[in-house]
Amino acid sequence: MAKPPSILVVDDSIDALQTLSDILGAAGYAVRTAPSAERALQILEGAAVDLVITDLRMGGMGGMGLIRRLRESQPDLPLIALSGFADAGTIVQAFREGVVDFIAKPFTASEVLEAVTRALAQRPAARPMSAARGPAPGVSHALTPEQRARAEGILRELQGRLGAELVVLAGSGGALLAAQGLVDEPVAEAVAQGIGQVEALLEPLAEALGEPAFAAQAWEGERRALYAVRVGEGRFLVAVVPRSVKPGLVWLELREALSRLRALGTEPPGPSPEPPPPAAALDAEVLFAAWEEPPSPAEGELLSYEEARARGLIPGLEEGAEGVE
């Protein structure tokens, strides 16, 4: 009989430890607990576990310190962050440090068990599309071997940061250029082909609206959300993530991955297209940048000096600048 997965729960709250232990134990998992990050490291020196769930806000080393230590010593060990006080910045930082999921306090048993199921699916033994595999049969060779290897590295990091079930770089017509995920290759190919079909269907709509193309799309299902952003002409970056992952975090990570993929020179070969009319330019970088633009004053709106400075309409005077006495 197979041994049940082993889970280490780390929290300085005895009540939280007991509640999580009861939930996971009733579901058939082997559970160990630790009241601090330091104690967790001691346990892990003599025992192997399949998953660590750690609170972020603890004394001593704290949860974030534990996450960093475990990412260095056991990079393939899935980690789930847990907190009742974390703000959006802390959650984003936890994902950047390598957690695969986040549970907010107070939590329900179903939320805990769903997060654990997703995290355990990311263990190396459960990754049929791991980095150790070569290019899958049927993968488009529009990328050079070096470009493909580097693209797969970017996708692998993106998958880990988002806890994504699948990330795909799709080519013209829905060709599968590169992929990393927890699903079989036919699923990755179906996603790439589906995005190609969606793009073909959107082309006449974009033309009717006067847009050269749609730069980003998102769809939500009951359990998963699918995000797609345009990398270049005929190229798309696609991520399938649990619906529980915040959209803001997904767009943040996609933007960073998009920039890195473009830096690889993965634009399709061929002559450079004619530049579009100035008003027609629209891509994901412009879309994201628009979110960060400071608002311009409405016509006739009067702003105080402080308001104008806050909106970035008046540059700050550097110390020692010319003309300043």
Side-chain angles (χ1 to χ4, degrees):
M1 183 175 178
K3 293 176 61 178
S6 176
I7 301 174
L8 175 62
V9 181
V10 189
D11 201 315
D12 57 2
S13 166
I14 301 302
D15 290 340
L17 286 180
Q18 187 62 57
T19 301
L20 286 167
S21 183
D22 290 345
I23 292 172
L24 297 170
Y29 295 108
V31 186
R32 300 195 65 171
T33 61
S36 67
E38 290 80 1
R39 176 57 183 152
L41 291 175
Q42 291 175 354
I43 292 173
L44 292 172
E45 286 178 359
V49 299
D50 298 296
L51 170 67
V52 172
I53 302 175
T54 180
D55 188 40
L56 292 177
R57 189 171 181 177
M58 298 186 292
M61 178 187 298
M64 203 71 78
L66 176 61
I67 290 167
R68 295 188 185 105
R69 288 283 295 274
L70 293 180
R71 271 292 154 260
E72 294 174 358
S73 60
Q74 302 187 51
D76 290 326
L77 177 63
L79 306 174
I80 294 177
L82 174 73
S83 182
F85 303 96
D87 56 20
T90 302
I91 296 172
V92 169
Q93 181 61 29
F95 276 101
R96 288 186 178 278
E97 294 292 348
V99 304
V100 298
D101 217 323
F102 176 82
I103 301 173
K105 295 180 180 179
F107 47 76
T108 64
S110 61
E111 287 173 340
V112 172
L113 295 177
E114 288 174 5
V116 167
T117 299
R118 290 192 297 265
L120 289 174
Q122 299 201 36
R123 291 173 296 171
R127 297 182 182 179
M129 296 179 65
S130 67
R133 292 178 54 185
V139 169
S140 169
H141 291 280
L143 301 180
T144 67
E146 180 182 359
Q147 286 176 332
R148 189 179 305 113
R150 293 173 65 187
E152 288 175 347
I154 295 171
L155 298 186
R156 192 180 313 119
E157 291 183 21
L158 179 62
Q159 180 205 354
R161 291 180 183 277
L162 291 177
E165 295 183 22
L166 176 68
V167 287
V168 166
L169 180 61
S172 179
L176 180 62
L177 303 182
Q180 292 291 317
L182 314 176
V183 298
D184 294 331
E185 181 189 316
V187 177
E189 291 180 338
V191 170
Q193 292 169 4
I195 291 298
Q197 293 169 2
V198 169
E199 176 65 10
L201 291 173
L202 286 176
E203 281 182 1
L205 175 60
E207 184 176 344
L209 295 174
E211 295 286 355
F214 290 101
Q217 298 98 36
W219 297 268
E220 281 194 353
E222 292 184 2
R223 293 177 297 162
R224 302 173 183 85
L226 186 149
Y227 297 80
V229 292
R230 179 183 293 271
V231 179
E233 184 66 30
R235 296 276 174 84
F236 293 89
L237 173 60
V238 185
V240 180
V241 304
R243 190 176 175 183
S244 59
V245 181
K246 301 298 184 184
L249 174 62
V250 178
W251 291 120
L252 176 69
E253 295 294 348
L254 286 176
R255 177 185 180 183
E256 182 174 335
L258 185 71
S259 176
R260 296 176 62 193
L261 285 169
R262 285 178 168 172
L264 291 182
T266 58
E267 295 290 337
S272 300
E274 291 295 323
L282 176 65
D283 63 18
E285 289 291 350
V286 173
L287 179 66
F288 287 124
W291 295 351
E292 302 170 359
E293 287 281 336
S296 299
E299 185 176 354
E301 181 183 2
L302 297 179
L303 300 178
S304 68
Y305 177 82
E306 288 76 16
E307 289 174 334
R309 285 288 304 279
R311 296 195 186 187
L313 302 176
I314 300 178
L317 296 177
E318 300 293 334
E319 184 177 355
E322 293 184 8
V324 179
E325 296 183 359

